[in-house]
Amino acid sequence: MDNPISGTCDARFDGVREEFARNFAERGEVGGGICVMVDHRVVVDLVGGWADEAHRYLWRPDTLVDFYSVGKPLVALLALQLVDAGLIGLDDPIASVWPEFGSGGKGAATLRHALCHRAGVPAIREPLTNADLWNWDRMASALAATDAWWEPGTRHTYHTNTYGHLIGEVVRRVSGETCGARLRASTGPLGADLWFGVPRAEQHRCADVIWAGTGTGEDVDFAELSGDALMTMLSYFNPLGYSSMGVVNSVAWRTAEVPSTNGHGTASGIARLYAALLEPGQLVSAALLEEATSPQSQGYCPVLGEEVTFGLGFKPTVPRRPFGPNPRSFGHFGTGGAVGFADPDAGVAFGYVMNHVIPRWQSSRNRALIDAVYNSL
């Protein structure tokens, strides 16, 4: 039983099962899950492999794992719901609900700017420690006190880790609730097993993340850096564990809310959330979702090192990293290859999670699974 696989798969989608098995046999998968829904019906719901590097614990249907930036659209959705409710506008200054954020040249930064990575704070300037990372108020305060890296609205840079605290604090200021509480209120009724901050009582379900990267940030000499290079390194490594390195399997990391980076869940949970987004008005109004999933900012990103297109939390499909072949698809990849997306034209909702993290978004594993889904339609 080297790479055990279990679950359900419609015969029409046997090709997806075959590629899922091939991920383990040929592409280095350790543990993971895939769930595909078509027209709100589950057609693939498979799990396989192991929840730990030593192969002691099987990956089960309720195994949770960190899905990294797959969580960015989830925290964005919480803000969009407040826009729908008329409690804040997309073009309202963030400082209108979070006055402290208006310092350091950020007074004109709007919620729209924040949602599409144009708010000017992809990194915190004040040196922080991992002890700060576990303290939401401390992180939000340090972010608010950071001078803008550019005039908000004039360019974009992927807010790799600060995105969660930036959008999350807006959510907290407007609603009075944490992102974790708001997420559970939205996804619980869907049967979607998704978390910002996994309660200790649920952490026995968490898979260990196996990090295949090399950089930990400990050898970075920030004093030798300036400009975009300094901004990029601080975005990843201030505090040192902001990108999860060195802390990812700890109780502290799993318990904290770092919504851009430490969302946990199952493939089924991700697919169920995206299926709900295909139901007009269920989670967010159709008009606002259309705006959020359309290009809002395009151009070169120094953090990602390439031309990118951002929506409002969601990423529209692009040829370099497509969510299937259809032009209206939207979703988000996460570090290592986890992905969630919806395709309104095909009625597809897709979730994939895994624990062997290769430090890039698209991988041969998720590409093979996505291609197999569309070959089966």
Side-chain angles (χ1 to χ4, degrees):
M1 194 168 64
D2 289 339
N3 298 296
I5 292 173
S6 62
T8 61
C9 182
D10 283 12
R12 180 182 175 190
F13 291 86
D14 277 347
V16 180
R17 181 195 290 272
E18 291 170 4
E19 290 302 327
F20 189 58
R22 192 167 288 126
N23 280 350
F24 292 95
E26 300 175 9
R27 304 183 186 115
E29 195 83 280
V30 176
I34 178 174
C35 183
V36 183
M37 301 175 69
V38 178
D39 296 330
H40 302 284
R41 186 175 72 86
V42 176
V43 296
V44 179
D45 193 0
L46 297 171
V47 297
W50 305 91
D52 65 316
E53 191 169 13
H55 291 198
R56 295 169 299 175
Y57 306 108
L58 287 172
W59 196 287
R60 301 185 184 279
D62 69 344
T63 296
L64 304 173
V65 71
D66 192 331
F67 45 56
Y68 289 91
S69 288
V70 172
K72 284 185 172 69
L74 307 190
V75 70
L77 176 62
L78 302 179
L80 294 172
Q81 290 173 331
L82 298 175
V83 173
D84 257 344
L87 298 175
I88 187 172
L90 284 175
D91 297 308
D92 288 352
I94 294 169
S96 67
V97 298
W98 182 6
E100 301 91 326
F101 189 81
S103 68
K106 305 191 299 300
T110 66
L111 177 58
R112 185 189 300 274
H113 292 152
L115 287 167
C116 65
H117 302 271
R118 297 178 73 87
V121 284
I124 296 171
R125 295 179 185 269
E126 176 190 354
L128 298 172
T129 69
N130 287 344
D132 298 316
L133 186 55
W134 320 136
N135 185 325
W136 180 277
D137 289 340
R138 177 76 176 95
M139 294 297 294
S141 296
L143 183 61
T146 288
D147 290 348
W149 292 88
W150 65 84
E151 181 184 345
T154 61
R155 62 177 280 197
H156 71 207
T157 291
Y158 189 56
H159 286 47
T160 306
N161 293 311
T162 57
Y163 194 88
H165 287 107
L166 176 59
I167 306 300
E169 183 64 5
V170 172
V171 169
R172 191 172 77 99
R173 294 285 176 129
V174 174
S175 71
E177 296 180 283
T178 68
C179 290
R182 298 283 298 180
L183 181 66
R184 293 304 302 155
S186 289
T187 61
L190 305 175
D193 201 355
L194 302 169
W195 304 83
F196 292 139
V198 180
R200 291 196 180 213
E202 301 291 339
Q203 290 189 21
H204 67 279
R205 299 197 281 132
C206 290
D208 286 345
V209 169
I210 303 159
W211 186 266
T214 55
T216 65
E218 293 178 321
D219 57 349
V220 175
D221 185 355
F222 294 105
E224 295 294 316
L225 302 174
S226 62
D228 283 355
L230 175 62
M231 177 185 70
T232 298
M233 285 298 100
L234 288 174
S235 77
Y236 285 122
F237 300 120
N238 184 36
L240 199 59
Y242 214 175
S243 296
S244 87
M245 273 73 93
V247 297
V248 66
N249 296 322
S250 68
V251 170
W253 175 260
R254 291 167 175 167
T255 303
E257 292 190 23
V258 189
S260 57
T261 315
N262 87 332
H264 283 68
T266 63
S268 172
I270 294 168
R272 289 179 185 280
L273 177 116
Y274 276 97
L277 286 168
L278 290 176
E279 189 69 32
Q282 183 168 359
L283 291 177
V284 66
S285 66
L288 186 55
L289 182 64
E290 183 177 1
E291 186 169 6
T293 58
S294 300
Q296 298 284 322
S297 187
Q298 296 173 286
Y300 181 77
C301 170
V303 166
L304 297 177
E306 61 187 34
E307 297 287 319
V308 293
T309 299
F310 295 117
L312 301 177
F314 299 93
K315 282 183 62 63
T317 191
V318 293
R320 175 167 165 75
R321 291 196 180 100
F323 302 116
N326 295 323
R328 293 198 300 151
S329 297
F330 60 89
H332 214 290
F333 289 92
T335 295
V339 59
F341 74 86
D343 178 348
D345 297 314
V348 168
F350 181 101
Y352 162 67
V353 298
M354 76 302 124
N355 64 342
H356 183 249
V357 170
I358 303 167
R360 59 178 182 268
W361 283 353
Q362 195 168 56
S363 70
S364 58
R365 302 170 199 165
N366 60 33
R367 182 76 267 143
L369 295 172
I370 293 170
D371 288 348
V373 168
Y374 283 90
N375 289 337
S376 300
L377 292 175

